[in-house]
């Protein structure tokens, strides 16, 4: 079974082809990605209307490139999958519309995929795929969540952010420091040159007794510290970036270790864009190695939004019998769609 996956939830257009054969883990045949970072940099953030228009321009050429790389054709595709949500409504409509149009033209079934489930299952595309059950730390854009994952569609929420997510804390702190867009990667690069202990920044909810997250207070503390530095900010910017990153990573790692202890599981999956952060990987690897816990990540180039994770999630859902692709080509999108409600609609 060949699954064509289309991702268009925000500012990256992704298309991929995944092959599923019996009970074996589906494998990636080809994928292509176009990032809109350069287009949005002038505005300091994603402009939804521009994002939607760019998806329209990119999705079919990317599809042609993926099929050519895989040595396949549209006629060979068995299922067309697309991101149904969450994300920007206009951007989601582009991917959903193209997917359903292709399905109708080819007389092939289509399947809407949850964007966060795509991230959650993206480590199965790596050279070291995980096995169920595991604890998942999902750190993608506006989402920071800890889950127990017992199988496809069997997700138990253990904790989540109650305000700003980790990715938002990176981006907003970077903006306060004048680091531009996208802020998170820029802050991480600058942090490598600074002292993570230079400033005492708060670790919100670290001792809350639960597994929820809150990073809004940290953002405020970064703003206060930047104002205190005044004219010295430029000279101390690397130290402030390093201290900010250390605070975020400390909370993520310690809450993840608590989740592992409480669940009794010995395997953890980290997924989403923040999962590419080098300090997060290093600290989590060190803490888990000391306790004999296996850690799994997506390949670095598959941490951000991409079509491969959408095609993979669709293939694994179909393989597990957790979803049925259909030929109902009318569609809707779900800009807000909690992962624990994935099977409610």
């Amino acid at each position: 079974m060949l699954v064509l996956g289309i991702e268009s939830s925000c500012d990256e257009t992704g298309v991929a082809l995944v092959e599923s054969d019996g009970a074996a883990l589906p494998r990636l045949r080809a994928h292509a990605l176009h990032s809109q970072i350069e287009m949005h940099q002038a505005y300091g953030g994603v402009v939804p209307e521009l994002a939607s228009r760019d998806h329209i321009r990119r999705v079919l050429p990317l599809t042609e490139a993926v099929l050519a790389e895989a040595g396949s054709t549209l006629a060979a595709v068995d299922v067309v999958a697309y991101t149904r949500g969450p994300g920007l409504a206009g951007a989601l409509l582009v991917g959903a519309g193209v997917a359903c149009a292709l399905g109708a033209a080819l007389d092939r079934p289509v399947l809407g995929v949850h964007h966060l489930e795509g991230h959650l299952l993206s480590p199965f595309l790596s050279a070291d795929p995980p096995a169920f059950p595991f604890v998942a730390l999902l750190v993608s854009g506006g989402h920071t969540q800890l889950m127990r994952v017992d199988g496809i569609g069997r997700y138990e929420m253990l904790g989540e952010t109650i305000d700003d997510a980790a990715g938002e804390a990176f981006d907003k702190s970077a903006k306060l420091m004048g680091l531009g867009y996208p802020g998170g990667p820029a802050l991480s690069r600058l942090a490598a040159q600074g002292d993570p202990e230079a400033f005492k920044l708060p670790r919100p909810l670290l001792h809350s007794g639960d597994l929820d997250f809150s990073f809004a207070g940290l953002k405020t503390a970064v703003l206060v510290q930047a104002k205190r530095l005044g004219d010295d900010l430029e000279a101390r910017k690397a130290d402030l970036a390093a201290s900010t990153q250390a605070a975020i990573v400390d909370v993520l790692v310690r809450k993840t270790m608590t989740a592992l202890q409480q669940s009794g599981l010995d395997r953890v999956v980290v997924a989403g864009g923040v999962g590419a952060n080098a300090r997060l990987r290093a600290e989590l690897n060190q803490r888990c190695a000391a306790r004999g816990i296996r850690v799994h990540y997506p390949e670095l180039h598959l941490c951000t939004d991409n079509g491969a994770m959408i095609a993979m999630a669709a293939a694994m859902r179909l393989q597990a019998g957790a979803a049925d692709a259909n030929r109902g080509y009318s569609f809707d999108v779900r800009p807000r769609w909690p992962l624990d409600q994935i099977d409610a609609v």
Side-chain angles (χ1 to χ4, degrees):
M1 180 177 65
L2 286 178
V3 179
L4 181 71
I6 298 174
E7 154 62 21
S8 67
S9 64
C10 190
D11 59 346
E12 285 157 322
T13 315
V15 180
L17 195 66
V18 163
E19 183 175 8
S20 176
D21 185 9
L25 190 66
R27 66 184 184 91
L28 180 62
R29 289 277 300 272
H31 78 104
L33 182 70
H34 175 78
S35 173
Q36 301 174 3
I37 285 177
E38 289 187 11
M39 181 177 67
H40 296 294
Q41 276 177 335
Y43 306 95
V46 177
V47 181
E49 177 67 17
L50 294 180
S52 301
R53 291 178 181 273
D54 199 62
H55 287 310
I56 293 171
R57 287 191 291 268
R58 307 291 180 181
V59 64
L60 290 179
L62 288 174
T63 301
E64 292 172 350
V66 164
L67 292 170
E69 181 184 342
S72 190
T73 64
L74 275 175
V77 171
D78 296 295
V79 176
V80 184
Y82 62 93
T83 304
R84 187 182 176 196
L88 301 174
L92 291 167
L93 285 168
V94 174
V98 169
C100 290
L102 285 175
L106 299 169
D107 190 25
R108 298 292 191 275
V110 297
L111 178 62
V113 173
H114 197 293
H115 178 82
L116 296 182
E117 185 174 44
H119 277 300
L120 183 67
L121 300 178
S122 60
F124 284 94
L125 290 160
S126 72
D128 180 30
F132 299 114
F134 54 78
V135 167
L137 172 64
L138 183 57
V139 274
S140 171
H143 301 88
T144 299
Q145 300 172 331
L146 278 166
M147 285 172 285
R148 179 187 173 109
V149 179
D150 288 299
I152 303 299
R154 297 164 60 195
Y155 312 133
E156 178 189 354
M157 191 70 68
L158 303 177
E160 60 185 332
T161 186
I162 60 176
D163 45 51
D164 282 2
E168 290 172 316
F170 270 110
D171 289 339
K172 292 178 180 179
S173 297
K175 190 171 184 177
L176 293 172
M177 297 180 209
L179 298 181
Y181 169 83
L187 188 147
S188 296
R189 287 192 296 270
L190 183 60
Q193 306 168 30
D195 177 6
E197 299 181 0
F199 300 101
K200 295 186 182 299
L201 296 176
R203 272 69 168 160
L205 297 188
L206 189 61
H207 304 293
S208 62
D210 57 34
L211 296 174
D212 288 334
F213 299 90
S214 167
F215 292 102
L218 174 61
K219 174 195 64 181
T220 302
V222 172
L223 174 62
V224 170
Q225 188 62 62
K227 287 183 175 180
R228 284 177 181 168
L229 288 170
D231 294 339
D232 294 330
L233 174 60
E234 193 62 36
R236 302 294 307 279
K237 194 176 288 187
D239 288 341
L240 185 56
S243 298
T244 303
Q245 177 178 257
I248 297 170
V249 168
D250 192 18
V251 172
L252 293 175
V253 170
R254 291 171 70 174
K255 292 265 184 177
T256 300
M257 298 309 296
T258 300
L260 286 162
Q261 181 179 7
Q262 291 181 358
S263 67
L265 299 178
D266 60 359
R267 192 181 300 270
V268 62
V269 158
V270 182
V274 180
N277 183 273
R279 184 181 178 98
L280 174 60
R281 290 191 175 208
E283 291 203 11
L284 194 57
N285 287 345
Q286 182 180 22
R287 293 285 296 274
C288 287
R291 288 178 47 183
I293 294 169
R294 292 287 308 280
V295 190
H296 301 267
Y297 307 93
E299 305 293 351
L300 280 173
H301 67 285
L302 296 178
C303 283
T304 56
D305 297 348
N306 60 84
M309 69 182 194
I310 300 304
M312 186 68 169
M316 293 184 73
R317 283 206 135 235
L318 292 168
Q319 192 178 59
D324 292 315
N326 62 75
R327 287 177 169 80
Y329 301 121
S330 62
F331 60 89
D332 64 349
V333 295
R334 303 203 67 197
R336 296 184 181 275
W337 190 9
L339 185 55
D340 56 1
Q341 296 179 15
I342 190 169
D343 294 316
V345 292

